[in-house]
Amino acid sequence: EEIVRFHEAVKFDVIQLCDATSEVRPKDVEVWRVVHISPDAGATTMALNMAREDRLLFDTASAAGGGSGVKFEWSKVLAGREDFVLAGGLTPANVADAARTGAWCVDVCSGCEESPGVKNAALVRRFVRNAKCGECRGLVEILKTLASNAGASADEIANILQMATRGTLTDAQVGGFLTVLAARKDVEQSPAVL
């Protein structure tokens, strides 16, 4: 009832429910239900009632309920799932892999803190950059292969990979780079004209 009163006063976009038994369902707001997963979870047979929830947020179980900074075994729980939020032990070092699980969104707290409750701006920036990079990691490998096959120099390959992993590579730059490499390859393979 308190959540409903707050929502009526503030008009939240999303309400995240951590209590698995809560039946709260205010109108006109997305509801995300937190599902706590044991850090050593094997294949799960969770029977979750998605009819009531807009999204599920998977987090690592802890004595405090969540926020432990510990990662659970994503592959055993998230396989085949879509449209979920992933939390639990996420850091700038592992968020690219988390982004590739199919998560609609990632949630971080202690993984970007310099001390309990104090966020580190550089870690937050790196986290966001790496989350975006997780979405493009496959592109990086494709570009690397294409560039190598097209005879790009080591410096050209390093430059394109650096831009891709920093998240500063635009579609126009990719197209231009590939056009130049294709043209170079065509010239190298053309028969000599006398």
Side-chain angles (χ1 to χ4, degrees):
E1 295 174 358
E2 188 176 25
I3 292 172
V4 173
R5 266 188 295 121
F6 277 119
H7 172 61
E8 288 170 354
V10 179
K11 298 298 182 207
F12 297 116
D13 293 322
V14 173
I15 295 175
Q16 178 177 315
L17 298 176
C18 297
D19 179 359
T21 62
S22 175
E23 294 298 322
V24 173
R25 181 63 193 199
K27 296 178 181 173
D28 304 324
V29 65
E30 254 190 66
V31 174
W32 296 2
R33 175 82 55 183
V34 177
V35 179
H36 292 108
I37 308 294
S38 170
D40 56 352
T44 184
T45 56
M46 286 183 285
L48 301 168
N49 183 356
M50 281 296 291
R52 294 187 342 248
E53 321 308 342
D54 294 301
R55 288 194 207 290
L56 294 179
L57 185 151
F58 294 99
D59 194 0
T60 308
S62 71
S68 65
V70 176
K71 177 184 169 286
F72 65 89
E73 185 56 46
W74 304 326
S75 64
K76 293 180 180 175
V77 177
L78 303 176
R81 294 189 183 277
E82 295 179 358
D83 213 26
F84 59 89
V85 179
L86 181 58
L90 298 181
T91 67
N94 67 12
V95 70
D97 292 332
R100 287 191 293 276
T101 65
W104 173 80
C105 178
V106 290
D107 178 326
V108 66
C109 187
S110 61
C112 287
E113 291 180 344
E114 56 190 39
S115 61
V118 180
K119 299 294 181 266
N120 177 301
L123 287 176
V124 171
R125 280 191 298 275
R126 203 164 99 216
F127 183 89
V128 171
R129 183 189 69 225
N130 291 351
K132 289 179 180 178
C133 191
E135 298 171 353
C136 73
R137 188 75 64 186
L139 174 62
V140 170
E141 293 306 313
I142 291 167
L143 287 174
K144 186 175 178 181
T145 301
L146 287 171
S148 178
N149 291 344
S153 69
D155 287 342
E156 289 171 320
I157 294 173
N159 185 40
I160 197 80
L161 292 178
Q162 185 179 46
M163 288 191 304
T165 56
R166 278 195 321 242
T168 59
L169 186 64
T170 66
D171 290 344
Q173 288 171 315
V174 171
F177 180 72
L178 295 176
T179 300
V180 167
L181 291 176
R184 182 184 305 159
K185 195 72 172 175
D186 287 344
V187 168
E188 291 172 358
Q189 292 180 350
S190 298
V193 177
L194 297 174

